């Protein structure tokens, strides 16, 4: 399938589907520079500075968020006069992951020990930057029919996500709709995956401490047997919770850590458990804290253990609004034809783009990053993750077409 095309757009403009070679090469170089210098959430100072400098070179006026990382930038909006129509926002996340880059013989592998852009945020950032540069040029030509906002958000990987901070800092002020992409190594470059409704899942974190008087294993009746209590929490709580929600909600409690005791003949006084709560359904996710905490307390009390529960709210599911999903579908079809859009399943992963959708309608597309014909899938959050960089052009095409088609709705 060709990755080249042109399309006639509203207002008589012809926006090349194939970016000018100079800009295409610049965006690839920009992405590779980010890939070599990944920064963790709320530490993305170099990344923020690089984005800001390039936007200012294009004559734009980006504003760094109050936390010092991340920024927003309006195109075609008069900040003093305001605008009569709500803007379309394009969101990118800019942080990396605390894992080593394991790619061999890669000239742009991470230069920072134990840090990597292994989730594609460098691609997301470059796509939104590239779209912004193209739309800024259209604005100079008088061909941008409606203002657009670029959002470069920090700390997506840090629960409950930097989106909430960006929203508090005014990222959605004047915004009516919002779009985003997420790299998908299961989809070929040149294609996107779309789904109406929930496209990701909710994810929360549990931390539990159990306490009680310990003692000798010869006299468990005189103690609170915390090892048994912890074991019952591990097995009984997921079963209880599963019976208190509609099974179609997909709500599941899964444990990742259990610790208690130091000697075979000593009943300990303390036990700790950690796990996650994942959920496919937004309504069930909103009920989850009360139901899960009640189930833990029931089991702990049955075994005379005192429980201290820390329920860390993560993110709700990303629920794609029908109209904005159709906007992305129409934009991609206009660029590359109906065969360039495929359906996608709901992921069990979490994404803090969902916080924006608590305020305005929006949608996220899966951006194909697998080289067509490649059999190996370099999965997300793995040290060898990489992308077919033609996906950057596809993402820019998608967003610029969406911005222009949005004015017709």
């Amino acid at each position: 399938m060709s990755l080249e095309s042109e399309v006639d757009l509203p207002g008589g403009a012809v926006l090349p589907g194939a970016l000018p070679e100079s800009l295409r090469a610049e965006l690839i170089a920009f992405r590779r520079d980010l890939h070599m210098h990944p920064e963790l959430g709320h530490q993305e100072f170099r990344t923020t500075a690089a984005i800001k400098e390039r936007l200012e070179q294009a004559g734009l006026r980006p504003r760094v968020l109050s936390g010092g990382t991340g920024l927003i930038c309006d195109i075609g909006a008069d900040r003093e006069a305001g605008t009569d129509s709500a803007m379309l926002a394009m969101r990118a996340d800019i942080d990396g992951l605390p894992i080593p880059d394991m790619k061999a013989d890669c000239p742009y592998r991470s230069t920072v020990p134990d840090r990597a852009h292994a989730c594609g945020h460098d691609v997301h950032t470059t796509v939104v930057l590239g779209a912004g540069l193209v739309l800024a040029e259209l604005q100079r030509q008088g061909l941008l029919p409606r203002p657009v906002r670029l959002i470069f958000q920090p700390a997506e990987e840090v629960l409950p996500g930097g989106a909430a901070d960006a929203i508090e800092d005014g990222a959605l002020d004047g915004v009516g709709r919002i779009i985003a992409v997420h790299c998908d190594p299961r989809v070929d470059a040149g294609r996107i995956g779309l789904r109406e409704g929930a496209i990701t899942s909710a994810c929360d974190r549990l931390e539990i401490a159990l306490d009680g008087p310990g003692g000798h294993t010869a006299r468990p009746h005189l103690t609170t047997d915390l090892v048994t209590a912890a074991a019952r929490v591990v097995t009984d709580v997921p079963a209880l919770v599963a019976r208190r929600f509609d099974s179609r909600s997909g709500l599941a409690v899964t444990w990742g850590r259990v610790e208690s005791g130091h000697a075979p003949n000593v009943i300990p006084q303390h036990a700790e458990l950690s796990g996650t709560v994942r959920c496919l359904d937004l309504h069930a996710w909103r009920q989850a804290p009360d139901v899960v905490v009640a189930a833990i307390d029931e089991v702990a009390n049955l075994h005379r253990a005192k429980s201290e529960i820390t329920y860390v709210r993560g993110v709700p599911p990303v629920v794609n609004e029908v109209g904005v999903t159709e906007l992305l579908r129409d934009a991609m079809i206009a660029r590359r034809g109906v065969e360039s859009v495929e359906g996608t399943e709901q992921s069990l992963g979490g994404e803090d783009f969902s916080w924006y959708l608590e305020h305005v309608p929006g949608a996220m597309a899966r951006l194909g990053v697998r080289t067509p014909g490649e059999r190996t899938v370099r999965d997300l959050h793995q040290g060898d993750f990489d992308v077919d960089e033609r996906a950057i052009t596809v993402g820019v095409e998608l967003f610029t077409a969406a911005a222009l088609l949005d004015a017709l709705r």
Side-chain angles (χ1 to χ4, degrees):
M1 179 180 60
S2 172
L3 294 179
E4 310 291 333
S5 65
E6 287 191 350
V7 61
D8 293 327
L9 294 169
V14 177
L15 182 67
L19 299 179
E21 184 56 36
S22 58
L23 181 54
R24 184 203 305 268
E26 178 191 351
L27 293 177
I28 290 175
F30 189 89
R31 178 257 167 173
R32 292 185 176 189
D33 179 72
L34 295 185
H35 201 84
M36 294 172 66
H37 302 93
E39 298 172 299
L40 299 185
H42 300 302
Q43 301 174 23
E44 312 97 330
F45 296 103
R46 183 186 185 279
T47 303
T48 298
I51 300 166
K52 181 174 183 289
E53 179 181 8
R54 186 61 185 91
L55 291 172
E56 288 176 339
Q57 287 176 3
L60 299 171
R61 296 184 294 167
R63 174 174 70 86
V64 176
L65 300 179
S66 59
T69 65
L71 63 160
I72 62 175
C73 183
D74 293 345
I75 303 172
D78 187 326
R79 291 182 178 178
E80 295 181 358
T83 178
D84 293 332
S85 59
M87 287 180 282
L88 176 72
M90 304 173 178
R91 173 269 199 173
D93 37 11
I94 66 175
D95 55 325
L97 285 164
I99 63 176
D101 190 334
M102 303 300 291
K103 294 189 295 294
D105 302 322
C106 177
Y108 53 85
R109 68 181 294 179
S110 173
T111 61
V112 184
D114 299 320
R115 302 287 186 268
H117 267 297
C119 197
H121 294 188
D122 53 337
V123 174
H124 307 163
T125 298
T126 305
V127 164
V128 173
L129 174 65
L133 296 178
V134 172
L135 293 172
E137 179 59 30
L138 286 179
Q139 168 65 16
R140 280 190 287 272
Q141 298 175 24
L143 298 175
L144 183 64
R146 181 177 292 171
V148 173
R149 173 167 295 164
L150 314 178
I151 302 174
F152 298 91
Q153 174 216 303
E156 190 275 332
E157 299 287 353
V158 182
L159 286 178
D165 296 329
I167 293 167
E168 186 175 352
D169 218 344
L172 291 181
D173 293 352
V175 168
R177 297 152 305 285
I178 188 167
I179 57 176
V181 293
H182 197 295
C183 290
D184 192 334
R186 302 165 302 171
V187 178
D188 285 349
R191 301 171 66 90
I192 64 169
L194 281 177
R195 176 186 178 90
E196 294 178 0
I199 193 171
T200 70
S201 299
C203 181
D204 299 335
R205 191 174 76 242
L206 274 175
E207 301 287 343
I208 304 169
L210 300 177
D211 291 284
H216 202 288
T217 56
R219 294 176 290 278
H221 59 291
L222 300 179
T223 73
T224 293
D225 188 349
L226 283 181
V227 173
T228 298
R232 299 307 300 189
V233 168
V234 167
T235 58
D236 291 354
V237 168
L240 280 174
V241 170
R243 288 295 177 266
R244 294 175 183 178
F245 286 96
D246 187 323
S247 59
R248 291 171 294 183
S249 72
L251 193 143
V253 178
T254 307
W255 307 104
R257 183 179 70 95
V258 181
E259 294 183 13
S260 184
H262 302 283
N265 62 342
V266 177
I267 294 174
Q269 300 180 52
H270 184 75
E272 295 182 357
L273 304 88
S274 300
T276 60
V277 180
R278 295 184 182 271
C279 184
L280 301 175
D281 177 72
L282 182 60
H283 178 69
W285 176 76
R286 288 174 173 153
Q287 297 177 307
D290 290 341
V291 175
V292 172
V293 168
I296 294 168
D297 281 337
E298 284 181 34
V299 175
N301 290 338
L302 183 63
H303 294 273
R304 298 183 297 173
K306 179 183 178 182
S307 60
E308 182 176 338
I309 305 164
T310 302
Y311 193 109
V312 181
R313 245 342 188 179
V315 293
V318 172
V319 181
N320 283 350
E321 193 265 343
V322 172
V324 184
T325 305
E326 285 300 316
L327 172 64
L328 289 174
R329 187 187 313 277
D330 292 346
M332 192 64 180
I333 290 174
R335 290 300 198 186
R336 298 185 176 274
V338 68
E339 75 284 351
S340 65
V341 180
E342 61 183 63
T344 189
E345 63 186 10
Q346 184 177 4
S347 165
L348 286 171
E351 231 290 353
D352 79 348
F353 182 68
S354 53
W355 289 123
Y356 298 104
L357 306 189
E358 296 279 295
H359 301 271
V360 297
M364 170 176 282
R366 301 289 187 190
L367 179 66
V369 297
R370 180 178 62 192
T371 299
E374 183 176 355
R375 293 180 178 273
T376 302
V377 176
R378 297 177 176 178
D379 204 4
L380 301 171
H381 288 217
Q382 300 297 313
D384 65 346
F385 177 74
D386 205 353
V387 306
D388 185 323
E389 290 176 318
R390 289 177 292 181
I392 295 170
T393 298
V394 176
V396 173
E397 292 175 354
L398 172 67
F399 277 5
T400 52
L404 292 162
L405 294 176
D406 179 58
L408 301 178
R409 293 175 178 253

